[in-house]
Amino acid sequence: MKILSLLIAFVLPLTIAAQNKTTITIANNSTLDRKEAVTAIKWEKILLSYPQLDTSNFVVINSVTQKQIPYQLEHRGQTTIQNLLVQIDLKAKSSLKLLIQKGKSEKFTAKTYARFVPERLDDFAWENDKIAFRAYGKALEKTEGDAYGFDVWVKSTSKLVLNDRYKRNDYHIDHGDGLDYYHVGYTLGAGNMAPFVKDTIRYSGNYQQWKILDNGPLRTTFQLIYDSWNAGGIKIQAVKTITIDAGSQLNRIENLYTFNDTKPLAVVVGIIKREKPGVISLNEQQGIMGYWEPTFEKDGTTAVGSILTSPIETMWVNKEQLLAKTFVKNNEPIIYYAGAAWDKAEKITNAQQWFKYLDHFQEELKNPLVVSVK
């Protein structure tokens, strides 16, 4: 009896301890080093291992350094938590162990952000610690300043700058952290997508509704909803779900087109081309389209690129833009990536580095990190 009591006394604390901590192993099985990688761990798997987890009182610890690492509870627009997001560096062919345990979390600096900007004609703007973008809303539609594609706001700081720039209302001049000198006009700008019907790009109107699903600190996701329009005789509606991660030059863009046709719909991703010579890279086989723009005097050089995950029929360059053509089915999402960089941020400073970045990004997509929870 005494032996049984001792066994219970020994086992019970271990059981309780197991309920107050869990281990996450993240493995990089590829030959690529991963830097600033935002990684998602299914929340339901964490709860299976740690059912008593208090979302208001836990920390994520690097098992080697014993330091806290930044995290985010991702909802994807749901009331319940979908994923735990962490940002890590991980060398090729290596793994990292993280511990989830009780504790007061440090306050980490937000690295992503988005908002509706009604004070500037219904802009919707978003950014991370590398780059910023905006899409144009209904208040700008059919005005002199209207534009169809995605705009780029270049940055030379890791700080979030959107609110300060809109408050100054002087964002076409570099005040030490970057500016907006990117021109969109009646093109797809920095990687927007549109139907391509009867050999013509069928631009929609500007977005009509918006919805933020998550807003930092490591990942921001939102939706832009477009009213139906006539695309060369086909009535189409679109919802664009855009995600920007900390540390990334590219957005993840998931478009859902709804139309009354059983045949696949041709669509194109576009990047506006400048009048002066730049450096262009079209890789149909890998679905990568890259552009190193000509330098704009004191404003520097902007790089723009896109990566499609669906098969490419063709890529080409016309007078106005670089284009990549693929197909979508009715009410089935299509996912691609698009974004930009600025040489004055001093991270990517020439065309070769930019094209290498796009190639590396595409390889990361093909070799995702492997996550296990115990």
Side-chain angles (χ1 to χ4, degrees):
M1 191 71 175
K2 188 174 181 179
I3 294 174
L4 181 60
S5 298
L6 287 172
L7 285 172
I8 292 172
F10 179 72
V11 173
L12 189 57
L14 291 179
T15 305
I16 293 171
Q19 294 174 343
N20 290 310
K21 184 182 291 187
T22 194
T23 302
I24 298 169
T25 302
I26 304 175
N28 179 7
N29 297 325
S30 75
T31 58
L32 305 170
D33 290 343
R34 302 296 296 270
K35 296 181 179 179
E36 301 179 290
V38 175
T39 307
I41 303 105
K42 293 290 185 183
W43 188 248
E44 59 184 18
K45 290 185 178 180
I46 294 172
L47 289 183
L48 283 174
S49 176
Y50 190 173
Q52 304 303 318
L53 177 58
D54 180 357
T55 57
S56 64
N57 185 35
F58 81 95
V59 294
V60 181
I61 303 292
N62 183 315
S63 66
V64 175
T65 65
Q66 291 298 305
K67 292 183 178 180
Q68 292 191 32
I69 68 167
Y71 71 83
Q72 176 182 334
L73 299 178
E74 184 184 31
H75 287 77
R76 299 288 300 178
Q78 305 296 313
T79 55
T80 56
I81 300 167
Q82 303 299 303
N83 297 300
L84 173 70
L85 304 177
V86 295
Q87 187 177 33
I88 60 171
D89 294 334
L90 196 53
K91 293 286 187 181
K93 299 294 183 179
S94 67
S95 63
L96 173 66
K97 286 188 177 181
L98 305 177
L99 305 176
I100 298 178
Q101 60 191 45
K102 286 185 178 181
K104 184 177 180 181
S105 177
E106 297 174 10
K107 187 175 182 180
F108 296 104
T109 301
K111 296 181 180 180
T112 67
Y113 177 67
R115 80 172 177 97
F116 172 57
V117 192
E119 68 269 29
R120 219 308 294 194
L121 298 172
D122 291 353
D123 281 358
F124 194 95
W126 66 100
E127 66 177 316
N128 67 1
D129 50 342
K130 304 292 184 183
I131 196 75
F133 305 90
R134 66 172 167 173
Y136 299 108
K138 58 185 177 181
L140 191 69
E141 205 167 79
K142 298 179 181 179
T143 69
E144 185 178 346
D146 196 12
Y148 295 153
F150 293 145
D151 190 19
V152 177
W153 282 17
V154 294
K155 295 172 59 172
S156 56
T157 176
S158 61
K159 296 179 180 179
L160 301 179
V161 301
L162 288 181
N163 285 335
D164 286 343
R165 290 190 186 179
Y166 276 115
K167 187 176 181 179
R168 282 199 306 257
N169 194 26
D170 191 26
Y171 42 78
H172 295 297
I173 296 175
D174 187 356
H175 292 276
D177 60 12
L179 73 160
D180 172 25
Y181 76 98
Y182 192 77
H183 173 67
V184 176
Y186 299 131
T187 73
L188 291 167
N192 200 3
M193 177 184 281
F196 190 71
V197 180
K198 299 175 183 177
D199 295 328
T200 302
I201 301 173
R202 306 294 176 169
Y203 296 102
S204 68
N206 295 345
Y207 83 88
Q208 300 296 307
Q209 300 176 58
W210 58 273
K211 182 180 180 181
I212 293 177
L213 307 184
D214 290 283
N215 209 356
L218 297 178
R219 173 175 292 173
T220 290
T221 301
F222 60 92
Q223 291 181 331
L224 300 178
I225 302 161
Y226 295 77
D227 284 353
S228 62
W229 74 100
N230 184 343
I234 303 172
K235 186 178 180 180
I236 297 176
Q237 290 179 298
V239 177
K240 302 188 177 187
T241 303
I242 300 173
T243 297
I244 190 166
D245 282 353
S248 178
Q249 303 289 158
L250 305 183
N251 301 286
R252 179 188 187 274
I253 305 172
E254 180 177 316
N255 291 343
L256 186 68
Y257 291 99
T258 305
F259 51 94
N260 293 323
D261 200 332
T262 57
K263 297 179 181 178
L265 174 72
V267 294
V268 288
V269 173
I271 297 172
I272 186 172
K273 181 172 70 73
R274 308 305 174 189
E275 291 183 5
K276 294 182 179 180
V279 185
I280 294 172
S281 175
L282 303 180
N283 186 338
E284 290 185 358
Q285 185 176 1
Q286 298 298 325
I288 303 173
M289 187 164 58
Y291 184 40
W292 185 259
E293 289 196 341
T295 300
F296 278 72
E297 299 177 358
K298 63 179 181 179
D299 294 329
T301 311
T302 298
V304 187
S306 66
I307 301 173
L308 278 78
T309 61
S310 53
I312 300 296
E313 181 181 82
T314 185
M315 289 181 176
W316 73 101
V317 180
N318 64 19
K319 184 179 179 181
E320 296 179 326
Q321 47 198 329
L322 291 62
L323 294 165
K325 180 182 177 183
T326 187
F327 293 87
V328 300
K329 293 182 179 179
N330 174 46
N331 211 33
E332 291 187 15
I334 181 172
I335 297 169
Y336 73 103
Y337 297 79
W342 190 37
D343 65 340
K344 286 194 173 185
E346 299 182 347
K347 302 295 184 183
I348 297 171
T349 58
N350 57 56
Q352 183 180 7
Q353 290 177 353
W354 177 236
F355 300 152
K356 184 178 179 180
Y357 178 89
L358 296 174
D359 290 341
H360 193 287
F361 195 102
Q362 201 250 14
E363 286 297 317
E364 290 180 356
L365 294 176
K366 294 193 296 186
N367 297 278
L369 299 176
V370 180
V371 177
S372 61
V373 181
K374 292 183 178 180

